[in-house]
């Protein structure tokens, strides 16, 4: 049961971030790549400071992961709004690039010198790991934050003006244009929120059950979500 509870945390965060974009007809298919970039950005601090002598390391890791995932998704937003490129194809191809960046780091500069040549980083210090929710299990507090993300996504889409803009842009693009809603802004917002959620999920994975950055972080969460 505890292992089952371990899986919804990244899936919920990812799925809600993607669903917000989908409601605006912005199809982010590259959450897997944004997830990987978020995991890489979150891992930078414990890799560079393996002794854990940085205060507030865990919150900084989550913030770094969120920013990394969001910025990576905005590459597709820029190409869509500037050149009309399909965000479906661009985000999908960016996922392949993210996987190669991960391979480069794990086989090169970030490889653990004491890891018996396995493609993985050093183990993270205790202050870079999420607290366990139930003793004797791997379920951590990210489950609670995932449930809060569900509430946030619902309130935003159903009770906030920005959510109304996103829904209108998806259901009736001409009506949204007539009302003065910026179509490019909806693309940036939809992709940005999806990347933000994916980056947080990636940070959660390396700071949670893995405790380090390794190839298995590409577990297909982005595609499943």
């Amino acid at each position: 049961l505890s292992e089952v509870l371990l899986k919804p945390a990244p899936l919920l965060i990812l799925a809600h971030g993607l669903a917000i974009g989908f409601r605006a007809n912005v199809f982010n298919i590259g959450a897997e790549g944004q997830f990987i970039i978020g995991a890489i950005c979150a891992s930078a601090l414990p890799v560079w400071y393996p002794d854990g002598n940085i205060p507030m390391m865990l919150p900084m890791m989550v913030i770094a992961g969120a920013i990394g995932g969001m910025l990576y998704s905005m590459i597709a937003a820029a190409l869509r709004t500037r050149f009309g490129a399909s965000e479906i194809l661009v985000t999908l191809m960016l996922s392949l690039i993210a996987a190669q960046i991960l391979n480069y780091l794990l086989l090169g500069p970030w490889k653990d010198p004491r890891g018996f040549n396995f493609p993985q980083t050093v183990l993270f210090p205790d202050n870079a790991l999420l607290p366990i929710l139930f003793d004797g299990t791997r379920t951590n507090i990210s489950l609670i934050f995932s449930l809060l993300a569900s509430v946030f996504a619902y309130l935003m889409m159903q009770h906030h003006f920005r959510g109304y803009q996103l829904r209108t842009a998806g259901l009736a693009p001409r009506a949204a244009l007539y009302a003065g809603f910026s179509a490019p802004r909806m693309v940036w917002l939809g992709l940005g929120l999806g990347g933000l959620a994916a980056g947080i999920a990636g940070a959660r994975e390396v700071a949670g059950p893995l405790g380090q950055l390794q190839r298995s972080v590409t577990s297909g969460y982005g595609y499943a979500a």
Side-chain angles (χ1 to χ4, degrees):
L1 179 59
S2 66
E3 287 298 298
V4 170
L5 291 175
L6 192 66
K7 300 301 180 183
L11 286 171
L12 274 175
I13 294 176
L14 279 162
H16 285 307
L18 294 174
I20 289 173
F22 293 164
R23 295 291 292 274
N25 276 338
V26 177
F27 296 100
N28 180 1
I29 310 299
E32 186 78 1
Q34 296 145 28
F35 180 95
I36 294 171
I37 295 297
I40 290 173
C41 292
S43 301
L45 279 173
V47 167
W48 293 337
Y49 302 96
D51 295 332
N53 53 359
I54 296 182
M56 303 292 290
M57 178 176 278
L58 184 59
M60 291 172 65
M61 288 171 61
V62 176
I63 292 171
I67 293 174
M70 181 175 64
L71 291 178
Y72 202 61
S73 70
M74 286 186 173
I75 297 173
L79 293 173
R80 161 77 185 270
T81 55
R82 179 66 180 85
F83 301 106
S86 168
E87 74 277 13
I88 296 174
L89 297 177
V90 173
T91 53
L92 190 59
M93 290 188 289
L94 284 172
S95 293
L96 303 177
I97 296 173
Q100 294 307 314
I101 295 173
L102 177 66
N103 286 333
Y104 164 74
L105 291 173
L106 294 182
L107 294 170
W110 284 11
K111 182 192 285 187
D112 182 4
R114 300 180 180 179
F116 302 100
N117 210 36
F118 284 102
Q120 60 190 27
T121 65
V122 296
L123 290 171
F124 293 173
D126 289 342
N127 66 338
L129 302 176
L130 290 166
I132 296 299
L133 201 57
F134 306 112
D135 290 336
T137 71
R138 297 198 303 163
T139 307
N140 54 58
I141 62 169
S142 64
L143 177 63
I144 296 175
F145 292 115
S146 299
L147 297 174
L148 292 176
S150 303
V151 176
F152 171 80
Y154 169 76
L155 292 176
M156 176 183 171
M157 295 305 293
Q158 299 298 327
H159 299 285
H160 194 274
F161 181 63
R162 192 67 72 190
Y164 170 71
Q165 288 181 310
L166 286 164
R167 288 187 287 114
T168 304
L171 291 172
R174 290 185 180 276
L177 186 64
Y178 179 77
F181 300 164
S182 170
R185 185 179 299 172
M186 296 303 102
V187 173
W188 283 93
L189 184 61
L191 283 168
L193 286 175
L196 179 80
I200 293 174
R204 172 264 176 198
E205 192 69 7
V206 294
L210 293 182
Q212 61 182 170
L213 182 64
Q214 52 185 247
R215 278 179 172 175
S216 62
V217 75
T218 58
S219 53
Y221 279 128
Y223 298 119

